[in-house]
Amino acid sequence: MRPILFLLLITTTYLSLPAVAQQKTTDNATMKKRYLSAKNQFRTFEREHGNFIQTNNVNMHYLSWGDPKKPCLIWIHGSMNNGYELLNIADSLVKAGFYVIAIDYYGHGQTAIPEHEVSLYHVADDIRFLLDRLDIEKAFVGGFSRGGYVATAFYDTYPEKVEGLILEDGGSVPFSNYYHKLGTEALKQKAAEFDSTEKMPWDTAYSSEFDAYKALYEPDEKGDQFTILALLRLDSAKKWSVIYDKMMALFNMASSKQFLDLILRPSSVPLFARSIVTMDPETIFRNLNVPLLLLDPVSENDPMPFEKENQALQQKHPRWISYIVYQNTEHNIHYQHPERFTKDLIRFMKRTHPSPASQAPQ
């Protein structure tokens, strides 16, 4: 299994995929029908909710739900996922009175990796470009894992565009904090795991989109699982893969050496990887002046055990930070607790941006 640093960047939804591939019992004819149905659903959904915008960096894909005149939430996904990460709760947010936008950043979903070097701060620039193009004065900006660090980068650069921040286990504590606490040998052991030869879905290239879809299809789940198609891309070798073939280079996690360079020698790694490990949220939030919802999963297997740091940050800014702990939860809160997560988001955003009716005299 790949090391915990890698896995914490992947949503829990896809962690079981390797086992799934070995459990296939559905015949090819049935799978072909499901695939064709999924293709149709995907096209229909994209026509209704999918959009592209050409920023200064990339032709960025994003999904949107609801009325653009309502208060806006910009959502930034975790690594190895895309804007569909928010699919199961987007309608609930819309019903609560919000306009929802979920972007795909570089190398994810339908957004390519730019030819020039980019960072998390370039993603923040893309979001600003999008807000300006849509004539949105301010927005709630939220993200999961790596997406939380993008949200923090956005606040750092464009605080005047932020109505409130939502950080789901990412963006509130320095990224490599945990690894710097490890001893030399423990860190080397974790690094060695990056040289594992075990095949994962994102390591495998398929001859057709159908074969890739079939490999990722979860027999225990219902429906045609059309969102699988948002994970698939035709790579540089004309094979279908789960992510772009240059993704691990973008993260600087393709080997133990790259991992150690990322943690110990960040000035030597490419800009995108460097930008997450050199970010210092405590400094960025030193003059915090917008509401911040800090969501912290806690469990024995917590890959980002930052409770003490998160508590300290909240204590420094009690006026602005709402800190919520999810017990017995590993990394992906919105997947493990979708209903509670949605309620917490809605409560926070309504408190920050109350409706005219709620402001009326009693």
Side-chain angles (χ1 to χ4, degrees):
M1 184 62 66
R2 289 292 175 84
I4 204 165
L5 174 62
F6 185 74
L7 293 182
L8 69 86
L9 300 173
I10 307 169
T11 55
T12 306
T13 314
Y14 302 110
L15 292 183
S16 61
L17 287 176
V20 172
Q22 299 173 5
Q23 298 171 359
K24 296 290 186 284
T25 56
T26 309
D27 63 89
N28 253 20
T30 300
M31 284 304 303
K32 193 71 174 181
K33 289 180 181 179
R34 288 176 178 169
Y35 165 70
L36 293 174
S37 176
K39 288 280 285 185
N40 184 56
Q41 287 186 62
F42 186 68
R43 292 192 192 102
T44 299
F45 192 89
E46 282 292 324
R47 282 197 297 269
E48 295 177 356
H49 300 280
N51 302 276
F52 284 88
I53 183 168
Q54 182 63 55
T55 74
N56 294 327
N57 298 306
V58 75
N59 192 26
M60 184 173 71
H61 176 264
Y62 65 97
L63 300 171
S64 62
W65 296 265
D67 182 354
K69 296 179 182 179
K70 300 290 186 179
C72 177
L73 166 65
I74 295 280
W75 186 257
I76 309 153
H77 60 81
S79 296
M80 302 298 181
N81 212 337
N82 50 62
Y84 281 91
E85 177 178 283
L86 219 59
L87 175 64
N88 292 336
I89 68 172
D91 287 341
S92 296
L93 297 174
V94 169
K95 289 178 182 178
F98 297 95
Y99 177 50
V100 180
I101 296 174
I103 71 163
D104 295 345
Y105 58 80
Y106 313 135
H108 296 74
Q110 298 176 64
T111 300
I113 299 174
E115 293 296 325
H116 60 281
E117 272 209 306
V118 287
S119 68
L120 301 189
Y121 281 82
H122 286 76
V123 184
D125 294 341
D126 296 334
I127 295 171
R128 171 61 190 264
F129 190 99
L130 175 62
L131 291 177
D132 288 347
R133 182 64 59 87
L134 297 180
D135 198 27
I136 297 174
E137 183 179 354
K138 283 189 174 185
F140 291 95
V141 180
F144 164 58
S145 193
R146 190 181 294 265
Y149 287 90
V150 175
T152 295
F154 186 88
Y155 173 75
D156 188 23
T157 312
Y158 306 110
E160 74 282 0
K161 301 293 290 185
V162 178
E163 186 156 11
L165 276 174
I166 300 165
L167 302 181
E168 180 190 355
D169 209 19
S172 60
V173 178
F175 180 81
S176 53
N177 182 288
Y178 167 70
Y179 297 95
H180 284 300
K181 293 179 180 178
L182 297 178
T184 302
E185 289 305 312
L187 185 60
K188 286 182 178 179
Q189 287 178 11
K190 289 196 176 294
E193 295 175 11
F194 279 92
D195 294 327
S196 169
T197 58
E198 180 181 351
K199 282 285 186 180
M200 304 291 273
W202 41 87
D203 296 321
T204 303
Y206 302 90
S207 58
S208 70
E209 186 183 44
F210 167 65
D211 288 335
Y213 168 84
K214 184 171 63 171
L216 300 190
Y217 186 86
E218 172 55 79
D220 295 333
E221 298 290 335
K222 296 180 180 179
D224 297 324
Q225 300 173 35
F226 74 94
T227 59
I228 289 174
L229 298 174
L231 291 167
L232 307 180
R233 286 294 169 270
L234 195 62
D235 65 23
S236 58
K238 304 302 180 184
K239 296 286 187 178
W240 288 91
S241 57
V242 178
I243 58 171
Y244 283 110
D245 53 349
K246 297 180 181 178
M247 182 67 74
M248 298 317 295
L250 186 71
F251 294 161
N252 210 73
M253 294 180 175
S255 68
S256 58
K257 181 182 184 306
Q258 286 194 3
F259 168 73
L260 288 173
D261 284 345
L262 177 69
I263 301 302
L264 301 177
R265 295 171 286 275
S267 63
S268 69
V269 307
L271 185 59
F272 191 85
R274 187 196 322 157
S275 66
I276 193 170
V277 296
T278 57
M279 183 182 293
D280 183 3
E282 186 176 3
T283 300
I284 292 171
F285 295 136
R286 67 194 183 282
N287 296 317
L288 182 67
N289 61 3
V290 301
L292 191 164
L293 178 62
L294 186 54
L295 305 175
D296 192 0
V298 175
S299 71
E300 291 183 0
N301 299 318
D302 186 356
M304 299 179 76
F306 296 151
E307 303 97 90
K308 291 183 179 178
E309 292 88 344
N310 283 329
Q311 290 169 8
L313 184 65
Q314 194 276 335
Q315 289 169 5
K316 286 184 178 180
H317 308 283
R319 174 187 174 189
W320 297 111
I321 297 180
S322 300
Y323 177 51
I324 300 177
V325 171
Y326 288 71
Q327 295 290 348
N328 302 315
T329 305
E330 292 189 7
H331 186 44
N332 191 329
I333 297 171
H334 68 265
Y335 177 72
Q336 291 185 252
H337 307 285
E339 292 185 5
R340 181 183 169 192
F341 175 83
T342 305
K343 289 179 180 178
D344 285 339
L345 259 62
I346 291 173
R347 186 181 302 111
F348 170 75
M349 292 192 293
K350 284 195 170 183
R351 186 171 66 241
T352 304
H353 189 115
S355 66
S358 67
Q359 299 181 67
Q362 300 296 317

